[in-house]
Amino acid sequence: MTTNAEDRRPQASCHEKSMSRECGAELSRLRILLGETTESWRTLAAEHFLAAAMAAVATRGAFHVVVPGGSTPRLAFAAVVEAGSLLDWRRVHVYFGDERVVAPDHPDSNYRMMREAFLDHVPIPAEQVYRIEGERVAEDAAALYEETLARFLGGSKETKFDLVILGLGPDGHVASLIPGCPLDSSGAWVGVGRAPMSNAAVRRVTMTPAALRRACELALWVRGEDKANVVRHALRGGGATMVPEVEPVDGRTTWILDRAAASQLTGE
Ligand code: 6PG
């Protein structure tokens, strides 16, 4: 994270100084950041997260972030915890892009993964961690989360998450939004769907594209050779991915890739 003499805010910020929850001037709508090694990828992801957080807290007094599920976040959030001592964690609000319909202590729970990798290690007030209650019937959990998101997003169409972080599945899914598979049911901000890939029997509660697009910035954290083809499709077209459905209306998208996930982009 860098700052220059005349402007003490982190240079990574794309936000102007305002106390509203509106995004600031666009610096660029698309960025692709490449971490050559596992260590450099995790550092890149952590520095990007902390720069966005510091900028949001400095300009609007709070940082509202949507975190992803899956396995990739463990690596990045461990680095966030290591490097996050300067951030005022009391200003941070954490939302979940999706959740499996399981108890919060179940091995498959995204909340459990985030608690182990991140939430247990930083002093974010418990009331500012808005988990999807996967222990409930899916439709009930979705209805409750719809109320949670409506309280944040419903007041003004200018209100946005400062950062939405998503992973990307090999089939092009993000959160629990799967190409060609409509949700079983959906409110404005939250829907009920199925697990991607071969786990279709497992139900999921997910933010809708309308909710995920309400972002100053979307970050896609993608690692691994198995994602190279879908990354190429998402960035160059030619295949089904949900990324276009969730890109910010007037924000920016930052891809944080490792060398393997970017391997089909080079040479163009
Ligand atoms: C989930 C996520 C899902 C995940 C991608 C990538 O609950 O699993 O919402 O969308 O982000 O499948 O997962 P990895 O990061 O583990 O590859």
Side-chain angles (χ1 to χ4, degrees), residues 95-154:
Y95 305 78
F96 287 75
D98 71 334
E99 184 56 279
R100 292 84 181 276
V101 181
V102 294
D105 60 354
H106 189 283
D108 291 344
S109 165
N110 287 336
Y111 172 73
R112 173 174 164 176
M113 178 273 292
M114 204 49 67
R115 189 173 51 72
E116 289 171 349
F118 177 47
L119 299 172
D120 281 357
H121 309 285
V122 290
I124 299 172
E127 66 274 16
Q128 293 171 200
V129 176
Y130 312 94
R131 74 175 182 90
I132 300 170
E133 297 178 27
E135 67 274 27
R136 296 175 181 268
V137 168
E139 286 73 12
D140 295 346
L144 285 171
Y145 215 59
E146 181 83 13
E147 291 172 12
T148 298
L149 294 189
R151 280 194 293 274
F152 178 60
L153 294 172

Side-chain angles (χ1 to χ4, degrees), residues 9 15-24 55-61:
R9 289 177 301 158
H15 300 294
E16 292 170 334
K17 191 140 185 84
S18 75
M19 292 314 290
S20 71
R21 299 215 56 75
E22 298 176 22
C23 301
V57 169
T59 57
R60 288 185 304 286

Side-chain angles (χ1 to χ4, degrees), residues 170-189:
D171 62 348
H173 77 262
V174 296
S176 292
L177 304 170
I178 306 162
C181 299
L183 296 172
D184 296 347
S185 62
S186 173
W189 313 115

